[in-house]
PDB file of all heavy atoms in Angstrom:
ATOM      1  N   GLN A   1      23.921  -9.701   5.231  1.00 96.00           N
ATOM      2  CA  GLN A   1      24.631 -10.505   4.215  1.00 96.00           C
ATOM      3  C   GLN A   1      25.754 -11.416   4.795  1.00 96.00           C
ATOM      4  O   GLN A   1      25.803 -12.609   4.383  1.00 96.00           O
ATOM      5  CB  GLN A   1      25.117  -9.566   3.107  1.00 96.00           C
ATOM      6  CG  GLN A   1      25.737 -10.348   1.871  1.00 96.00           C
ATOM      7  CD  GLN A   1      26.097  -9.298   0.836  1.00 96.00           C
ATOM      8  OE1 GLN A   1      25.204  -8.813   0.209  1.00 96.00           O
ATOM      9  NE2 GLN A   1      27.381  -9.091   0.634  1.00 96.00           N
ATOM     10  N   PRO A   2      26.582 -10.966   5.676  1.00 96.00           N
ATOM     11  CA  PRO A   2      27.650 -11.805   6.126  1.00 96.00           C
ATOM     12  C   PRO A   2      27.184 -12.938   6.977  1.00 96.00           C
ATOM     13  O   PRO A   2      27.859 -13.937   7.281  1.00 96.00           O
ATOM     14  CB  PRO A   2      28.399 -10.820   7.038  1.00 96.00           C
ATOM     15  CG  PRO A   2      28.195  -9.482   6.542  1.00 96.00           C
ATOM     16  CD  PRO A   2      26.813  -9.540   6.111  1.00 96.00           C
ATOM     17  N   TYR A   3      25.884 -12.918   7.438  1.00 96.00           N
ATOM     18  CA  TYR A   3      25.342 -13.964   8.315  1.00 96.00           C
ATOM     19  C   TYR A   3      24.403 -14.826   7.569  1.00 96.00           C
ATOM     20  O   TYR A   3      23.661 -15.702   8.209  1.00 96.00           O
ATOM     21  CB  TYR A   3      24.643 -13.243   9.478  1.00 96.00           C
ATOM     22  CG  TYR A   3      25.553 -12.349  10.240  1.00 96.00           C
ATOM     23  CD1 TYR A   3      25.546 -10.966  10.066  1.00 96.00           C
ATOM     24  CD2 TYR A   3      26.471 -12.822  11.185  1.00 96.00           C
ATOM     25  CE1 TYR A   3      26.415 -10.132  10.818  1.00 96.00           C
ATOM     26  CE2 TYR A   3      27.330 -12.018  11.892  1.00 96.00           C
ATOM     27  CZ  TYR A   3      27.319 -10.738  11.658  1.00 96.00           C
ATOM     28  OH  TYR A   3      28.201  -9.911  12.363  1.00 96.00           O
ATOM     29  N   GLY A   4      24.377 -14.755   6.268  1.00 96.00           N
ATOM     30  CA  GLY A   4      23.633 -15.725   5.444  1.00 96.00           C
ATOM     31  C   GLY A   4      22.126 -15.492   5.450  1.00 96.00           C
ATOM     32  O   GLY A   4      21.335 -16.352   5.008  1.00 96.00           O
ATOM     33  N   ILE A   5      21.697 -14.285   5.892  1.00 98.00           N
ATOM     34  CA  ILE A   5      20.255 -13.995   5.795  1.00 98.00           C
ATOM     35  C   ILE A   5      20.104 -13.022   4.581  1.00 98.00           C
ATOM     36  O   ILE A   5      20.689 -11.942   4.536  1.00 98.00           O
ATOM     37  CB  ILE A   5      19.819 -13.280   7.107  1.00 98.00           C
ATOM     38  CG1 ILE A   5      19.970 -14.197   8.257  1.00 98.00           C
ATOM     39  CG2 ILE A   5      18.286 -12.878   6.970  1.00 98.00           C
ATOM     40  CD1 ILE A   5      19.684 -13.589   9.673  1.00 98.00           C
ATOM     41  N   ARG A   6      19.178 -13.473   3.718  1.00 98.00           N
ATOM     42  CA  ARG A   6      18.934 -12.699   2.491  1.00 98.00           C
ATOM     43  C   ARG A   6      17.837 -11.679   2.806  1.00 98.00           C
ATOM     44  O   ARG A   6      16.930 -11.855   3.597  1.00 98.00           O
ATOM     45  CB  ARG A   6      18.495 -13.661   1.345  1.00 98.00           C
ATOM     46  CG  ARG A   6      19.516 -14.743   1.022  1.00 98.00           C
ATOM     47  CD  ARG A   6      19.036 -15.687   0.007  1.00 98.00           C
ATOM     48  NE  ARG A   6      17.882 -16.467   0.519  1.00 98.00           N
ATOM     49  CZ  ARG A   6      16.905 -17.004  -0.178  1.00 98.00           C
ATOM     50  NH1 ARG A   6      16.849 -16.796  -1.455  1.00 98.00           N
ATOM     51  NH2 ARG A   6      16.009 -17.757   0.486  1.00 98.00           N
ATOM     52  N   VAL A   7      17.822 -10.620   1.980  1.00 98.00           N
ATOM     53  CA  VAL A   7      16.808  -9.555   2.020  1.00 98.00           C
ATOM     54  C   VAL A   7      16.411  -9.252   0.614  1.00 98.00           C
ATOM     55  O   VAL A   7      17.241  -8.965  -0.286  1.00 98.00           O
ATOM     56  CB  VAL A   7      17.372  -8.247   2.740  1.00 98.00           C
ATOM     57  CG1 VAL A   7      16.213  -7.229   2.753  1.00 98.00           C
ATOM     58  CG2 VAL A   7      17.630  -8.632   4.203  1.00 98.00           C
ATOM     59  N   ALA A   8      15.136  -9.249   0.311  1.00 98.00           N
ATOM     60  CA  ALA A   8      14.585  -8.883  -0.976  1.00 98.00           C
ATOM     61  C   ALA A   8      13.493  -7.840  -0.888  1.00 98.00           C
ATOM     62  O   ALA A   8      12.845  -7.781   0.171  1.00 98.00           O
ATOM     63  CB  ALA A   8      14.127 -10.104  -1.711  1.00 98.00           C
ATOM     64  N   ILE A   9      13.400  -6.979  -1.901  1.00 98.00           N
ATOM     65  CA  ILE A   9      12.289  -5.982  -1.902  1.00 98.00           C
ATOM     66  C   ILE A   9      11.291  -6.331  -3.089  1.00 98.00           C
ATOM     67  O   ILE A   9      11.755  -6.477  -4.153  1.00 98.00           O
ATOM     68  CB  ILE A   9      12.856  -4.619  -2.187  1.00 98.00           C
ATOM     69  CG1 ILE A   9      13.962  -4.272  -1.088  1.00 98.00           C
ATOM     70  CG2 ILE A   9      11.767  -3.518  -2.284  1.00 98.00           C
ATOM     71  CD1 ILE A   9      14.831  -3.066  -1.498  1.00 98.00           C
ATOM     72  N   VAL A  10      10.039  -6.309  -2.812  1.00 97.00           N
ATOM     73  CA  VAL A  10       8.966  -6.547  -3.809  1.00 97.00           C
ATOM     74  C   VAL A  10       8.294  -5.198  -3.958  1.00 97.00           C
ATOM     75  O   VAL A  10       7.786  -4.604  -3.046  1.00 97.00           O
ATOM     76  CB  VAL A  10       8.024  -7.640  -3.430  1.00 97.00           C
ATOM     77  CG1 VAL A  10       6.888  -7.736  -4.373  1.00 97.00           C
ATOM     78  CG2 VAL A  10       8.723  -8.992  -3.243  1.00 97.00           C
ATOM     79  N   GLN A  11       8.343  -4.728  -5.288  1.00 94.00           N
ATOM     80  CA  GLN A  11       7.672  -3.404  -5.602  1.00 94.00           C
ATOM     81  C   GLN A  11       6.471  -3.736  -6.476  1.00 94.00           C
ATOM     82  O   GLN A  11       6.531  -3.644  -7.706  1.00 94.00           O
ATOM     83  CB  GLN A  11       8.626  -2.478  -6.305  1.00 94.00           C
ATOM     84  CG  GLN A  11       9.666  -1.894  -5.457  1.00 94.00           C
ATOM     85  CD  GLN A  11      10.491  -0.836  -6.217  1.00 94.00           C
ATOM     86  OE1 GLN A  11      10.646  -0.964  -7.452  1.00 94.00           O
ATOM     87  NE2 GLN A  11      11.013   0.105  -5.577  1.00 94.00           N
ATOM     88  N   PRO A  12       5.293  -4.008  -5.951  1.00 90.00           N
ATOM     89  CA  PRO A  12       4.232  -4.287  -6.836  1.00 90.00           C
ATOM     90  C   PRO A  12       3.786  -3.044  -7.662  1.00 90.00           C
ATOM     91  O   PRO A  12       3.902  -1.876  -7.238  1.00 90.00           O
ATOM     92  CB  PRO A  12       3.026  -4.709  -5.871  1.00 90.00           C
ATOM     93  CG  PRO A  12       3.757  -5.074  -4.617  1.00 90.00           C
ATOM     94  CD  PRO A  12       4.933  -4.201  -4.543  1.00 90.00           C
ATOM     95  N   GLY A  13       3.336  -3.347  -8.831  1.00 80.00           N
ATOM     96  CA  GLY A  13       2.797  -2.234  -9.677  1.00 80.00           C
ATOM     97  C   GLY A  13       1.190  -2.167  -9.454  1.00 80.00           C
ATOM     98  O   GLY A  13       0.759  -2.192  -8.255  1.00 80.00           O
ATOM     99  N   ALA A  14       0.486  -2.132 -10.479  1.00 73.00           N
ATOM    100  CA  ALA A  14      -1.022  -2.083 -10.380  1.00 73.00           C
ATOM    101  C   ALA A  14      -1.542  -3.440 -10.047  1.00 73.00           C
ATOM    102  O   ALA A  14      -1.711  -4.225 -10.911  1.00 73.00           O
ATOM    103  CB  ALA A  14      -1.657  -1.452 -11.569  1.00 73.00           C
ATOM    104  N   ILE A  15      -1.730  -3.728  -8.812  1.00 72.00           N
ATOM    105  CA  ILE A  15      -2.220  -5.015  -8.341  1.00 72.00           C
ATOM    106  C   ILE A  15      -3.584  -4.885  -7.622  1.00 72.00           C
ATOM    107  O   ILE A  15      -3.773  -3.944  -6.880  1.00 72.00           O
ATOM    108  CB  ILE A  15      -1.175  -5.673  -7.315  1.00 72.00           C
ATOM    109  CG1 ILE A  15       0.208  -5.903  -8.074  1.00 72.00           C
ATOM    110  CG2 ILE A  15      -1.767  -6.975  -6.763  1.00 72.00           C
ATOM    111  CD1 ILE A  15       0.170  -6.967  -9.016  1.00 72.00           C
ATOM    112  N   GLN A  16      -4.446  -5.709  -7.914  1.00 68.00           N
ATOM    113  CA  GLN A  16      -5.792  -5.624  -7.279  1.00 68.00           C
ATOM    114  C   GLN A  16      -5.648  -5.672  -5.712  1.00 68.00           C
ATOM    115  O   GLN A  16      -4.994  -6.617  -5.174  1.00 68.00           O
ATOM    116  CB  GLN A  16      -6.687  -6.797  -7.728  1.00 68.00           C
ATOM    117  CG  GLN A  16      -6.992  -6.819  -9.225  1.00 68.00           C
ATOM    118  CD  GLN A  16      -7.582  -7.996  -9.750  1.00 68.00           C
ATOM    119  OE1 GLN A  16      -7.952  -8.925  -8.950  1.00 68.00           O
ATOM    120  NE2 GLN A  16      -7.783  -8.163 -11.073  1.00 68.00           N
ATOM    121  N   SER A  17      -6.323  -4.765  -5.117  1.00 67.00           N
ATOM    122  CA  SER A  17      -6.200  -4.769  -3.616  1.00 67.00           C
ATOM    123  C   SER A  17      -7.489  -3.964  -3.048  1.00 67.00           C
ATOM    124  O   SER A  17      -8.245  -3.383  -3.771  1.00 67.00           O
ATOM    125  CB  SER A  17      -4.929  -3.974  -3.103  1.00 67.00           C
ATOM    126  OG  SER A  17      -5.054  -2.665  -3.145  1.00 67.00           O
ATOM    127  N   GLN A  18      -7.592  -3.963  -1.700  1.00 69.00           N
ATOM    128  CA  GLN A  18      -8.635  -3.322  -1.037  1.00 69.00           C
ATOM    129  C   GLN A  18      -8.289  -1.963  -0.510  1.00 69.00           C
ATOM    130  O   GLN A  18      -9.068  -1.329   0.177  1.00 69.00           O
ATOM    131  CB  GLN A  18      -9.182  -4.235   0.119  1.00 69.00           C
ATOM    132  CG  GLN A  18      -9.663  -5.544  -0.292  1.00 69.00           C
ATOM    133  CD  GLN A  18     -10.918  -5.502  -1.096  1.00 69.00           C
ATOM    134  OE1 GLN A  18     -11.885  -4.767  -0.600  1.00 69.00           O
ATOM    135  NE2 GLN A  18     -11.026  -6.230  -2.217  1.00 69.00           N
ATOM    136  N   ALA A  19      -7.063  -1.530  -0.791  1.00 70.00           N
ATOM    137  CA  ALA A  19      -6.564  -0.391  -0.207  1.00 70.00           C
ATOM    138  C   ALA A  19      -7.335   0.897  -0.360  1.00 70.00           C
ATOM    139  O   ALA A  19      -7.677   1.588   0.666  1.00 70.00           O
ATOM    140  CB  ALA A  19      -5.089  -0.065  -0.659  1.00 70.00           C
ATOM    141  N   PHE A  20      -7.731   1.180  -1.633  1.00 73.00           N
ATOM    142  CA  PHE A  20      -8.550   2.379  -1.810  1.00 73.00           C
ATOM    143  C   PHE A  20      -9.971   2.261  -1.379  1.00 73.00           C
ATOM    144  O   PHE A  20     -10.542   3.262  -0.910  1.00 73.00           O
ATOM    145  CB  PHE A  20      -8.434   2.721  -3.348  1.00 73.00           C
ATOM    146  CG  PHE A  20      -7.055   3.099  -3.830  1.00 73.00           C
ATOM    147  CD1 PHE A  20      -6.404   2.290  -4.725  1.00 73.00           C
ATOM    148  CD2 PHE A  20      -6.407   4.171  -3.315  1.00 73.00           C
ATOM    149  CE1 PHE A  20      -5.155   2.573  -5.145  1.00 73.00           C
ATOM    150  CE2 PHE A  20      -5.110   4.495  -3.767  1.00 73.00           C
ATOM    151  CZ  PHE A  20      -4.491   3.640  -4.668  1.00 73.00           C
ATOM    152  N   ILE A  21     -10.506   1.099  -1.437  1.00 76.00           N
ATOM    153  CA  ILE A  21     -11.834   0.818  -0.987  1.00 76.00           C
ATOM    154  C   ILE A  21     -11.918   1.153   0.562  1.00 76.00           C
ATOM    155  O   ILE A  21     -12.899   1.819   1.022  1.00 76.00           O
ATOM    156  CB  ILE A  21     -12.308  -0.594  -1.265  1.00 76.00           C
ATOM    157  CG1 ILE A  21     -12.397  -0.918  -2.679  1.00 76.00           C
ATOM    158  CG2 ILE A  21     -13.637  -0.986  -0.478  1.00 76.00           C
ATOM    159  CD1 ILE A  21     -12.585  -2.351  -3.094  1.00 76.00           C
ATOM    160  N   LYS A  22     -10.980   0.840   1.313  1.00 79.00           N
ATOM    161  CA  LYS A  22     -10.935   1.068   2.727  1.00 79.00           C
ATOM    162  C   LYS A  22     -10.875   2.562   3.040  1.00 79.00           C
ATOM    163  O   LYS A  22     -11.368   3.055   4.028  1.00 79.00           O
ATOM    164  CB  LYS A  22      -9.710   0.406   3.332  1.00 79.00           C
ATOM    165  CG  LYS A  22      -9.749  -1.174   3.328  1.00 79.00           C
ATOM    166  CD  LYS A  22      -8.525  -1.685   3.915  1.00 79.00           C
ATOM    167  CE  LYS A  22      -8.557  -3.262   3.858  1.00 79.00           C
ATOM    168  NZ  LYS A  22      -7.302  -3.869   4.430  1.00 79.00           N
ATOM    169  N   ASP A  23     -10.328   3.363   2.091  1.00 84.00           N
ATOM    170  CA  ASP A  23     -10.062   4.822   2.314  1.00 84.00           C
ATOM    171  C   ASP A  23     -11.123   5.687   1.679  1.00 84.00           C
ATOM    172  O   ASP A  23     -11.094   6.887   1.809  1.00 84.00           O
ATOM    173  CB  ASP A  23      -8.763   5.255   1.779  1.00 84.00           C
ATOM    174  CG  ASP A  23      -7.709   4.996   2.838  1.00 84.00           C
ATOM    175  OD1 ASP A  23      -7.904   4.376   3.895  1.00 84.00           O
ATOM    176  OD2 ASP A  23      -6.502   5.479   2.570  1.00 84.00           O
ATOM    177  N   ILE A  24     -12.191   5.115   1.029  1.00 86.00           N
ATOM    178  CA  ILE A  24     -13.106   5.879   0.241  1.00 86.00           C
ATOM    179  C   ILE A  24     -13.942   6.922   1.093  1.00 86.00           C
ATOM    180  O   ILE A  24     -14.169   7.970   0.663  1.00 86.00           O
ATOM    181  CB  ILE A  24     -13.983   4.970  -0.618  1.00 86.00           C
ATOM    182  CG1 ILE A  24     -14.781   5.703  -1.588  1.00 86.00           C
ATOM    183  CG2 ILE A  24     -14.970   4.246   0.304  1.00 86.00           C
ATOM    184  CD1 ILE A  24     -13.814   6.363  -2.744  1.00 86.00           C
ATOM    185  N   GLY A  25     -14.321   6.489   2.236  1.00 88.00           N
ATOM    186  CA  GLY A  25     -15.045   7.365   3.256  1.00 88.00           C
ATOM    187  C   GLY A  25     -14.217   8.612   3.530  1.00 88.00           C
ATOM    188  O   GLY A  25     -14.707   9.699   3.612  1.00 88.00           O
ATOM    189  N   ASP A  26     -12.958   8.350   3.921  1.00 91.00           N
ATOM    190  CA  ASP A  26     -12.030   9.407   4.303  1.00 91.00           C
ATOM    191  C   ASP A  26     -11.759  10.394   3.113  1.00 91.00           C
ATOM    192  O   ASP A  26     -11.787  11.600   3.241  1.00 91.00           O
ATOM    193  CB  ASP A  26     -10.717   8.781   4.767  1.00 91.00           C
ATOM    194  CG  ASP A  26      -9.849   9.843   5.395  1.00 91.00           C
ATOM    195  OD1 ASP A  26     -10.349  10.954   5.787  1.00 91.00           O
ATOM    196  OD2 ASP A  26      -8.604   9.640   5.485  1.00 91.00           O
ATOM    197  N   PHE A  27     -11.797   9.817   1.940  1.00 91.00           N
ATOM    198  CA  PHE A  27     -11.586  10.681   0.717  1.00 91.00           C
ATOM    199  C   PHE A  27     -12.837  11.519   0.494  1.00 91.00           C
ATOM    200  O   PHE A  27     -12.679  12.700   0.183  1.00 91.00           O
ATOM    201  CB  PHE A  27     -11.357   9.825  -0.451  1.00 91.00           C
ATOM    202  CG  PHE A  27     -11.159  10.553  -1.756  1.00 91.00           C
ATOM    203  CD1 PHE A  27     -10.207  11.412  -1.875  1.00 91.00           C
ATOM    204  CD2 PHE A  27     -12.024  10.313  -2.854  1.00 91.00           C
ATOM    205  CE1 PHE A  27     -10.004  12.170  -3.112  1.00 91.00           C
ATOM    206  CE2 PHE A  27     -11.938  11.016  -4.036  1.00 91.00           C
ATOM    207  CZ  PHE A  27     -10.902  11.948  -4.131  1.00 91.00           C
ATOM    208  N   GLU A  28     -13.946  10.933   0.636  1.00 91.00           N
ATOM    209  CA  GLU A  28     -15.225  11.762   0.434  1.00 91.00           C
ATOM    210  C   GLU A  28     -15.294  12.981   1.443  1.00 91.00           C
ATOM    211  O   GLU A  28     -15.664  14.040   1.154  1.00 91.00           O
ATOM    212  CB  GLU A  28     -16.427  10.904   0.599  1.00 91.00           C
ATOM    213  CG  GLU A  28     -16.561   9.869  -0.493  1.00 91.00           C
ATOM    214  CD  GLU A  28     -16.669  10.470  -1.887  1.00 91.00           C
ATOM    215  OE1 GLU A  28     -17.389  11.494  -2.080  1.00 91.00           O
ATOM    216  OE2 GLU A  28     -16.097   9.954  -2.806  1.00 91.00           O
ATOM    217  N   ARG A  29     -14.841  12.663   2.647  1.00 93.00           N
ATOM    218  CA  ARG A  29     -14.761  13.787   3.679  1.00 93.00           C
ATOM    219  C   ARG A  29     -13.678  14.817   3.311  1.00 93.00           C
ATOM    220  O   ARG A  29     -13.915  15.998   3.480  1.00 93.00           O
ATOM    221  CB  ARG A  29     -14.479  13.226   5.054  1.00 93.00           C
ATOM    222  CG  ARG A  29     -15.718  12.447   5.648  1.00 93.00           C
ATOM    223  CD  ARG A  29     -15.428  12.025   7.061  1.00 93.00           C
ATOM    224  NE  ARG A  29     -14.417  11.097   7.268  1.00 93.00           N
ATOM    225  CZ  ARG A  29     -14.555   9.726   7.055  1.00 93.00           C
ATOM    226  NH1 ARG A  29     -15.785   9.251   6.893  1.00 93.00           N
ATOM    227  NH2 ARG A  29     -13.582   8.918   7.248  1.00 93.00           N
ATOM    228  N   TYR A  30     -12.586  14.312   2.777  1.00 94.00           N
ATOM    229  CA  TYR A  30     -11.520  15.265   2.389  1.00 94.00           C
ATOM    230  C   TYR A  30     -11.908  16.168   1.330  1.00 94.00           C
ATOM    231  O   TYR A  30     -11.613  17.395   1.308  1.00 94.00           O
ATOM    232  CB  TYR A  30     -10.303  14.420   1.907  1.00 94.00           C
ATOM    233  CG  TYR A  30      -9.110  15.238   1.514  1.00 94.00           C
ATOM    234  CD1 TYR A  30      -8.330  15.857   2.401  1.00 94.00           C
ATOM    235  CD2 TYR A  30      -8.815  15.449   0.156  1.00 94.00           C
ATOM    236  CE1 TYR A  30      -7.208  16.662   2.046  1.00 94.00           C
ATOM    237  CE2 TYR A  30      -7.736  16.169  -0.272  1.00 94.00           C
ATOM    238  CZ  TYR A  30      -6.951  16.845   0.666  1.00 94.00           C
ATOM    239  OH  TYR A  30      -5.768  17.538   0.327  1.00 94.00           O
ATOM    240  N   LYS A  31     -12.767  15.729   0.448  1.00 92.00           N
ATOM    241  CA  LYS A  31     -13.286  16.561  -0.701  1.00 92.00           C
ATOM    242  C   LYS A  31     -13.962  17.790  -0.156  1.00 92.00           C
ATOM    243  O   LYS A  31     -14.100  18.766  -0.879  1.00 92.00           O
ATOM    244  CB  LYS A  31     -14.119  15.673  -1.619  1.00 92.00           C
ATOM    245  CG  LYS A  31     -13.395  14.736  -2.479  1.00 92.00           C
ATOM    246  CD  LYS A  31     -14.222  13.637  -3.034  1.00 92.00           C
ATOM    247  CE  LYS A  31     -15.257  14.154  -4.042  1.00 92.00           C
ATOM    248  NZ  LYS A  31     -15.940  13.099  -4.737  1.00 92.00           N
ATOM    249  N   GLU A  32     -14.500  17.668   1.031  1.00 92.00           N
ATOM    250  CA  GLU A  32     -15.317  18.758   1.640  1.00 92.00           C
ATOM    251  C   GLU A  32     -14.525  19.721   2.485  1.00 92.00           C
ATOM    252  O   GLU A  32     -15.077  20.563   3.180  1.00 92.00           O
ATOM    253  CB  GLU A  32     -16.569  18.159   2.486  1.00 92.00           C
ATOM    254  CG  GLU A  32     -17.448  17.222   1.656  1.00 92.00           C
ATOM    255  CD  GLU A  32     -18.021  17.867   0.433  1.00 92.00           C
ATOM    256  OE1 GLU A  32     -18.377  19.111   0.559  1.00 92.00           O
ATOM    257  OE2 GLU A  32     -18.080  17.304  -0.633  1.00 92.00           O
TER     258      GLU A  32
END
């Protein structure tokens, strides 16, 4: 802050993404 550089945090809620699709294979193995 003293150097004039701002910092912000973005906290998305339910936003469309590929995150769970990428992990689906791992999840199916975890179930076993």
Side-chain angles (χ1 to χ4, degrees):
Q1 186 173 289
Y3 302 99
I5 299 173
R6 301 173 294 152
V7 176
I9 304 167
V10 176
Q11 287 187 333
I15 298 290
Q16 296 168 10
S17 78
Q18 300 291 312
F20 295 116
I21 295 173
K22 293 177 181 177
D23 274 9
I24 193 68
D26 191 18
F27 178 61
E28 292 302 320
R29 289 187 292 274
Y30 179 74
K31 288 163 66 173
E32 304 302 320

